[in-house]
């Protein structure tokens, strides 16, 4: 199953909004860096109730959203 995430960095608070069909908008209170993918995996794992090792980052879609795969 694919999960598509649009991440908004440097927001005032951390939260996750779901839009159905496996699409999420994630607000993060820090700047984007090389650890951003691992932070997103951890947050999605908690939110979806899936172990973190079952989530993997697949890349970006044509809209520059992050695509994750649940195995």
């Amino acid at each position: 199953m694919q999960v598509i995430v649009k991440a908004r960095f440097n927001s005032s608070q951390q939260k996750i909004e779901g839009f159905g069909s496996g699409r999420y908008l994630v607000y993060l209170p820090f700047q984007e860096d090389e650890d951003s993918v691992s932070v997103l995996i951890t947050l999605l794992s908690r939110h979806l109730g899936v172990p973190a090792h079952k989530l993997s980052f697949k890349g970006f879609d044509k809209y520059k959203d992050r695509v994750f795969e649940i195995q």
Side-chain angles (χ1 to χ4, degrees):
M1 177 180 152
Q2 280 192 343
V3 176
I4 300 171
V5 175
K6 177 176 276 305
R8 298 288 173 125
F9 295 94
N10 295 326
S11 67
S12 60
Q13 61 182 346
Q14 180 175 313
K15 67 179 180 175
I16 298 177
E17 294 179 4
F19 291 97
S21 301
R23 297 187 60 86
Y24 295 92
L25 178 58
V26 178
Y27 295 93
L28 299 168
F30 53 84
Q31 293 183 358
E32 183 176 7
D33 59 8
E34 64 274 352
D35 295 331
S36 300
V37 171
S38 62
V39 170
L40 285 170
I41 287 175
T42 303
L43 289 173
L44 285 173
S45 171
R46 287 187 210 148
H47 185 76
L48 298 173
V50 176
H53 69 274
K54 298 256 183 185
L55 281 167
S56 61
F57 177 65
K58 293 299 179 184
F60 294 92
D61 66 2
K62 63 182 179 181
Y63 302 110
K64 304 292 183 189
D65 297 335
R66 289 161 176 81
V67 179
F68 295 88
E69 183 76 30
I70 299 176
Q71 302 165 351

